[in-house]
Amino acid sequence: LKPLGEWNTFVVTYKGSRILTVLNGRILYDVDTLELKPEQGAAWKDRVATGFIGLQRHAPGGAVEGEAYASFRNIYIRELQGRVAGY
């Protein structure tokens, strides 16, 4: 993550059954969702068609002091057209 006061860039690409997440140019996850085994609830493949986009803030114990908040900007949701690199 970038220091407080600097913006991070997070990109999620979901095509077919694969999901790719990239934070500041670094791949975090590149998985086939059909292979995911949930710890609880329905399987990913059964939830994704009616899913949601959730925005959240994570801060491991004490990582953010004082008033903890998250800001979001330039949020885009686009349907993929054609081929996407890596898929």
Side-chain angles (χ1 to χ4, degrees), residues 13-44:
T13 304
Y14 188 74
K15 183 166 182 163
S17 64
R18 293 200 70 80
I19 189 166
L20 172 70
T21 60
V22 180
L23 176 64
N24 299 327
R26 183 176 179 185
I27 294 175
L28 299 178
Y29 300 100
D30 184 3
V31 298
D32 184 340
T33 58
L34 296 177
E35 296 175 8
L36 294 177
K37 306 290 185 225
E39 292 181 21
Q40 60 186 9
W44 177 277

Side-chain angles (χ1 to χ4, degrees), residues 1-80:
L1 295 174
K2 292 186 178 183
L4 288 176
E6 293 185 31
W7 290 97
N8 291 290
T9 300
F10 189 68
V11 177
V12 178
T13 304
Y14 188 74
K15 183 166 182 163
S17 64
R18 293 200 70 80
I19 189 166
L20 172 70
T21 60
V22 180
L23 176 64
N24 299 327
R26 183 176 179 185
I27 294 175
L28 299 178
Y29 300 100
D30 184 3
V31 298
D32 184 340
T33 58
L34 296 177
E35 296 175 8
L36 294 177
K37 306 290 185 225
E39 292 181 21
Q40 60 186 9
W44 177 277
K45 65 182 178 73
D46 297 331
R47 293 182 292 153
V48 72
T50 59
F52 64 94
I53 297 171
L55 304 175
Q56 61 190 24
R57 178 197 66 80
H58 285 287
V64 178
E65 296 180 12
E67 200 171 311
Y69 65 92
S71 297
F72 303 94
R73 69 176 184 178
N74 299 332
I75 298 172
Y76 303 100
I77 301 170
R78 296 182 279 219
E79 183 175 347
L80 296 176

